[in-house]
Amino acid sequence: VQLQASGGGLVQPGGSLRLSCAVSGSIYSINTMGWYRRAPGKQRELVAAVASGGSTNYADSVKGRFTISRDNAKNTVYLQMNGLKPEDTAVYYCNAVIRRFSYSNLMAYWGQGTLVTVSS
């Protein structure tokens, strides 16, 4: 199982970026999918998550600016980031809680991380 994240880059304050993360490999089902970030000198934090049924939750710092969504047919999760601020600068990691086989336990998998830099 692999998670391939893309979409990071350099953007000016107030700008937008869209992150994508696709799950590949043989799996039975995907439970929660989400995005975390680690800013320089800080601990990793949850940015947003979306359950298999579509319910979402967001960090207070991104509410109203970021939108998480998923395409279950493509096993892909997205993070639309609008109104970006310098404090959003971080490496963003996608996460998926996956059941590989019908009899398997749920396990968390991580993408490789994509750098988002918000600077003028």
Side-chain angles (χ1 to χ4, degrees), residues 19 36-37 47 66 79 81 88 90-94 113-114 116:
L19 305 183
Y36 291 72
R37 67 186 180 188
V47 177
F66 291 10
L79 185 68
M81 305 185 291
D88 294 317
V91 177
Y92 285 70
Y93 299 90
C94 59
T114 184
V116 172

Side-chain angles (χ1 to χ4, degrees), residues 43-93:
Q43 291 187 332
R44 186 176 62 192
E45 63 173 351
L46 172 67
V47 177
V50 55
S52 56
S55 60
T56 59
N57 66 288
Y58 295 91
D60 288 343
S61 59
V62 307
K63 284 181 180 177
R65 299 188 297 123
F66 291 10
T67 302
I68 190 170
S69 60
R70 61 191 284 173
D71 184 332
N72 292 327
K74 296 181 179 179
N75 290 342
T76 299
V77 62
Y78 305 97
L79 185 68
Q80 178 66 45
M81 305 185 291
N82 299 328
L84 282 160
K85 303 176 181 180
E87 51 263 43
D88 294 317
T89 295
V91 177
Y92 285 70
Y93 299 90

Side-chain angles (χ1 to χ4, degrees), residues 6-25:
S6 61
L10 173 64
V11 63
Q12 292 186 341
S16 298
L17 282 175
R18 189 192 194 208
L19 305 183
S20 300
C21 177
V23 176
S24 62

